[in-house]
Amino acid sequence: MAYRRSYSLSLPIGLLSLFLIINFVHLAAIPSASAAATTTNVRLSVTRKPSKSLPVFREAPAFRNGEECKKDLIHVAMTLDANYLRGTVAAVLSILQHSFCPENIFFHFLWSHYDKEIYNNIKNTFPYLRFKVYRFDTNRVSGKISKSIRQALDQPLNYARIYLADILPMNVNRVIYLDSDIVVVDDIEKLWKVDLEGKVLAAPEYCQANFKRYFTDDFWADPELSNTFKGRNPCYFNTGVMVVDIQKWREGGYSYKVEEWMTIQKQKRIYHLGSLPPFLLVFAGHIKGIDHRWNQHGLGGDNIEGKCRGLHPGPISLLHWSGKGKPWLRLDSRKPCPVDHLWAPYDLYLSKKPILDE
């Protein structure tokens, strides 16, 4: 059996009382003019210097393989940036915690520029993590991104998933791509072992969704454009959770095929969202559909207001806060949605109040 070392992340009552007393004395001694700057990301016995604006995290427990685990790697790709770092850390923790063979998971992080503080944050939070960081050249999408209904969708790093086959090492033939606003509550090896049946990618499909709404009236009115779906049974799928056959992607030149639709979008507006519609244009109706349990999406609400949503019926292996509302922001605002409390146990964030070293 695989085994895990786990540690309580809560303080004993006696220690907590001591912390509150010390915390009060410490804060009272801080000059008011510099209080905000001094208390940000500070610990009483300082082990890390305050960062510019990055959160600081508790060190994650160590997760170890058991004797039954083989050495076959599971490749997971995610983007890495300051705005979503807290989500990424929670996602990584959830994956490791629920994996039967956690040491078999290799993370491939993509960022737009080298950031030593972000790198050290990951390294210090997960000392045993197997990972590598790659620079995504944002010039690849310069001039190809069209303004969408939400600014976060227009960030160049949001398009990095299109170029996984170009960025990852040649010996990586399959990868699971995950957004940073997810938590996994099942063994990710089950997702890794999905039979793609010769398809380039696998993802949960949602054929009951109104597929037409992902494209403009001008798109559907143009027979040359809309005929791209002729002979296909296109269904919506969310690109935040995908199993990708990297080798087939390379052979088929799919990065270029997605780019072609982005170029058309610049000439004639045919959709309103970010990187999702060009994926649908290339792959909808041609993917391997997998169980919906692997993407309980939409928990962040819509793209405009981010209103609270409940869970869909059925079993759950992955929770996804797609949409405007992110759980860490709603929790910090003290106006969380009920589903945000499902994300909270994986949050290793150290609050801005100084705390004692464990």
Side-chain angles (χ1 to χ4, degrees):
M1 291 289 291
Y3 67 95
R4 307 178 178 90
R5 286 192 300 164
S6 60
Y7 306 96
S8 173
L9 297 179
S10 60
L11 292 170
I13 294 176
L15 184 57
L16 179 58
S17 300
L18 176 62
F19 154 63
L20 292 174
I21 295 171
I22 296 175
N23 188 30
F24 175 80
V25 173
H26 178 77
L27 290 177
I30 297 174
S32 58
S34 60
T38 308
T39 59
T40 302
N41 295 332
V42 174
R43 306 174 76 173
L44 286 182
S45 54
V46 178
T47 56
R48 296 177 226 175
K49 293 181 180 180
S51 175
K52 43 195 176 185
S53 60
L54 294 180
V56 177
F57 305 96
R58 297 190 278 281
E59 182 178 314
F63 301 95
R64 298 297 193 194
N65 280 353
E67 294 180 357
E68 297 180 20
C69 291
K70 299 179 181 179
K71 295 183 179 180
D72 299 333
L73 292 181
I74 297 171
H75 297 280
V76 176
M78 304 179 72
T79 56
L80 197 59
D81 74 338
N83 292 330
Y84 283 79
L85 183 60
R86 192 166 163 190
T88 301
V89 167
V92 171
L93 176 63
S94 72
I95 293 168
L96 297 175
Q97 182 172 323
H98 293 284
S99 174
F100 185 77
C101 300
E103 289 181 301
N104 288 12
I105 304 172
F106 194 100
F107 287 87
H108 303 268
F109 294 119
L110 283 60
W111 60 14
S112 56
H113 62 276
Y114 175 78
D115 191 314
K116 185 177 180 180
E117 288 193 82
I118 291 180
Y119 181 89
N120 288 339
N121 235 328
I122 294 293
K123 191 69 177 175
N124 292 331
T125 305
F126 300 101
Y128 307 100
L129 194 68
R130 305 179 70 178
F131 75 96
K132 185 175 180 180
V133 184
Y134 310 80
R135 180 178 176 270
F136 168 59
D137 184 1
T138 56
N139 290 325
R140 294 291 300 267
V141 291
S142 178
K144 297 185 179 73
I145 297 177
S146 300
K147 187 176 181 180
S148 63
I149 59 176
R150 185 158 61 92
Q151 187 177 4
L153 301 175
D154 302 338
Q155 302 306 308
L157 198 57
N158 195 44
Y159 291 78
R161 71 195 78 187
I162 299 170
Y163 303 98
L164 288 172
D166 303 327
I167 297 171
L168 300 185
M170 293 299 294
N171 63 340
V172 176
N173 294 318
R174 172 184 286 214
V175 70
I176 298 172
Y177 176 82
L178 298 174
D179 275 349
S180 295
D181 51 1
I182 63 99
V183 292
V184 177
V185 293
D186 201 347
D187 190 346
I188 200 168
E189 186 175 4
K190 297 176 184 178
L191 181 59
W192 175 255
K193 289 185 174 180
V194 163
D195 184 358
L196 271 68
E197 298 180 357
K199 305 292 187 182
V200 178
L201 66 83
E205 288 184 299
Y206 302 90
C207 295
Q208 76 281 7
N210 182 4
F211 189 79
K212 284 194 171 184
R213 71 185 181 92
Y214 293 98
F215 304 95
T216 65
D217 292 339
D218 286 343
F219 171 84
W220 294 111
D222 189 323
E224 185 177 354
L225 296 176
S226 59
N227 276 346
T228 188
F229 293 118
K230 187 176 182 180
R232 295 156 64 177
N233 183 25
C235 295
Y236 164 77
F237 66 93
N238 183 282
T239 55
V241 180
M242 301 184 293
V243 183
V244 183
D245 186 323
I246 293 293
Q247 186 59 35
K248 286 186 179 295
W249 185 292
R250 292 184 182 118
E251 294 171 354
Y254 285 98
S255 296
Y256 176 72
K257 292 177 181 180
V258 175
E259 282 182 334
E260 283 186 311
W261 283 109
M262 293 168 62
T263 300
I264 293 173
Q265 163 76 350
K266 293 292 289 186
Q267 299 167 352
K268 180 178 183 180
R269 193 166 179 83
I270 59 175
Y271 52 79
H272 299 300
L273 291 175
S275 62
L276 168 64
F279 265 87
L280 296 179
L281 287 160
V282 174
F283 292 107
H286 291 323
I287 75 168
K288 165 64 178 177
I290 59 177
D291 199 302
H292 289 181
R293 69 187 304 150
W294 286 106
N295 196 349
Q296 176 84 208
H297 70 290
L299 302 184
D302 58 274
N303 279 303
I304 306 299
E305 298 182 34
K307 293 182 178 180
C308 292
R309 288 181 179 175
L311 296 174
H312 307 298
I316 299 170
S317 293
L318 185 148
L319 297 155
H320 187 186
W321 277 261
S322 57
K324 185 178 181 180
K326 302 307 174 189
W328 55 92
L329 298 178
R330 296 196 294 211
L331 287 163
D332 286 354
S333 72
R334 297 189 178 183
K335 296 179 181 179
C337 296
V339 294
D340 298 338
H341 296 291
L342 299 174
W343 181 90
Y346 305 99
D347 186 16
L348 292 175
Y349 172 59
L350 282 171
S351 69
K352 293 181 179 180
K353 294 182 180 180
I355 69 169
L356 289 173
D357 274 328
E358 295 173 334

